[in-house]
Amino acid sequence: MRKSNSIFKTAFVSEAGAELANNDYFAFVEDDDFACYVLAAGITDFETSEAAKEVVEHLILSFEEKPSMSKTTLLQYMNETNERLLNSNHAHRLKASVIMLVTDYEKFRYVAAGNVRLRMYRQGRFFLKSSDMSLANDLIQKGETDTPLAKHEERHNLYAYLGKKDFFKPFVSKVQKLADADIITLYSRGLWEHVDEQEFDEIFAEATDNPQESVDTLEELLLSRQPQDLKSYTAAAIFINKIFRDPERERKRLFYMKVAAIIIVILIVVAIIFYIFYSIRQDKIKTYENTVENAHQLVINENFKRGQETAQEALKMAQDLGLKKEETDLQEDLMVLDNIVQAEEFFTGENYHAAYDNYLMALQHSNASAKNTRDYIQRRLNAIEGHLDIKQFVSLGEYLFQNGEYDEAENLYLKANKIAAVVHDNGMRDKITEALEKIYDKRAELQKEAAEQLNTKKQAAISDAMKKGDDLLAAGDLDGAQKAYLNARNLSDNIADRTQTSEALQKVSDAHAKKELDERTSKEEREKRFDSAMETEALGDKSFEAGDYTSAQMYYLTAIEQLIFLSDDIKIQAIQNKYEAAKAKSSESFAQKQNAEKAEADARAFYADKNFEEAKAAATQAKELYTALGMKTKSAEMDILIQQITVDSMISNAVK
């Protein structure tokens, strides 16, 4: 019906040009409701190719089986044809450029892949054209080259064509309306390489209603150029002398307008009714949202009982409004609130095990976004754990104390004291303080006993060394006696022992002097021993200046031993004074270290009791003592402890 009430005239010319065979192919079919025009150009390195013919025949056949102008259907035609070429059994792979135009005699749409072109005229003037799918055309569009497309070396470098294995993506145009006297031309590379677009426009601007005359004129112009490398060329012209016009269009338009008016009235009435019900529902939803917000605020304020009651009211509203998701959310919230309310009752009644179970269930079911509630539950769980753990720690601490494991007992008492401070159990804190004082008293007692035992052992060792020295001196072993007396001197702590040792050493010195005189020791040997003693003394001075008093004592004693052999009493006394000074410094450092360690222990104890002011003062004193002793690592530890005490003090003040 559409075809018989429209006038479409088609003419074409297709020749091999300078090639042995024509590798172009054009065909069309015009049915009652649709018409299809297809032009394909084979892409081949051989003299002949059947690609164009196979493409056109398959596209025409696909169209006749399922006539349509939809974009999806046209792409389906192209994809099926592409697969057909890829799966063909020819000796070489078939490839082709193609353009397919489909019309319903009122409008048209085309699909293209490659460099076969379409050009359209309306009222004798150029109206629209297709674009080549080539690298050359892209470069021209980007302004990267001034070379005309027909002469550009990349004009046949195509990114879309039939027979492409990967990323095959043809171009589908929008639907265009047709008008009486429109002209559409389709043509292949044999033409556009030698006839420019302006010459096309001039030929079709003077066209009559006979398309054959125009295509013949186009061919004559092409052949008059006598190009030497003329490829296969095809030109097809479709003259739309008259388009199809639907005779019922006006009646249909009036009918649709009446139907639309009725529908609009119905929609307005429905909209008014809907608005009334919507307004009522929105008011209910607003009330529901306010109730939910009140429940959330009560929970945030830790008023869980009232929050539970308000959430139950909101749940009933959500059920009445049919808010399924909100109903589910509220049921989950109520599950948490029920557990919290029950846990609160158990906690107040000091039934900590039952309260812990309910708080734990509430925590497991609570939403991760409900941070305030989760924090509250966690605080309650920590408090319960504290109440349950304090007695266990204290009992175990008492057991360890009875078994003499004082360090382990102290650690448990300190942990229990920290928990008691958190849960504000002052009675238990007093008990823990008494237990800690017992540990510290016991430690002091043990230290005193150990010191007494050490002193007894030292006195016995001194006596043994002195006796050994006397025996060796009596036997004439002066060197052995000297070593024994020096050993006794090193072990001496009191003046009486040192005096006795000095007298014994003097005896050895006299014996050495006599022996030296008897043996007539050479002057060179004495000078050598003296120089060695001076070098050893210098090493002792260096160690003393560096604060290494133990090493300084060792060097001074060695120097004294060397000088005793030389009977240099004046020098011996001078070095002896240095030795006594080093020993005094060593004792002073030991006392300072003990004071520093005690200050550190006090600081940590005060810190555990949250007595931040006393803790900071003790830590500062410990740092100063460690610094004076040159103990940089311990001094740095005190800096870290002072920082921790300062931060915790600030947090504690902020909470208050």
Side-chain angles (χ1 to χ4, degrees), residues 17-29:
E19 296 181 313
L20 294 178
N22 188 358
N23 291 319
D24 291 353
Y25 201 85
F26 173 77
F28 66 96
V29 59

Side-chain angles (χ1 to χ4, degrees), residues 382-395:
N382 293 338
I384 292 171
E385 290 173 355
H387 284 292
L388 294 175
D389 289 344
I390 289 173
K391 291 184 178 180
Q392 294 180 3
F393 285 146
V394 171
S395 297

Side-chain angles (χ1 to χ4, degrees), residues 484-548:
Y485 289 140
L486 286 173
N487 185 34
R489 188 177 187 83
N490 290 338
L491 294 172
S492 300
D493 285 330
N494 57 68
I495 297 174
D497 290 336
R498 287 201 299 272
T499 302
Q500 182 182 3
T501 306
S502 297
E503 292 174 354
L505 286 172
Q506 184 61 46
K507 293 178 182 179
V508 175
S509 178
D510 294 342
H512 267 296
K514 185 176 181 302
K515 185 178 179 180
E516 286 294 323
L517 291 174
D518 292 342
E519 294 178 356
R520 297 179 181 179
T521 304
S522 68
K523 183 179 180 181
E524 291 79 10
E525 179 64 20
R526 292 178 62 83
E527 289 176 351
K528 181 178 180 182
R529 287 178 179 271
F530 183 83
D531 291 340
S532 177
M534 294 303 98
E535 290 175 0
T536 306
E537 180 189 10
L539 291 174
D541 294 342
K542 186 175 182 181
S543 297
F544 187 92
E545 291 174 0
D548 187 359

Side-chain angles (χ1 to χ4, degrees), residues 347 352 356 377-390 419 422-423:
F347 186 86
Y352 296 123
Y356 191 90
I377 295 172
Q378 193 59 59
R379 291 199 304 273
R380 283 300 205 191
L381 289 173
N382 293 338
I384 292 171
E385 290 173 355
H387 284 292
L388 294 175
D389 289 344
I390 289 173
I419 297 171
V422 173
V423 299

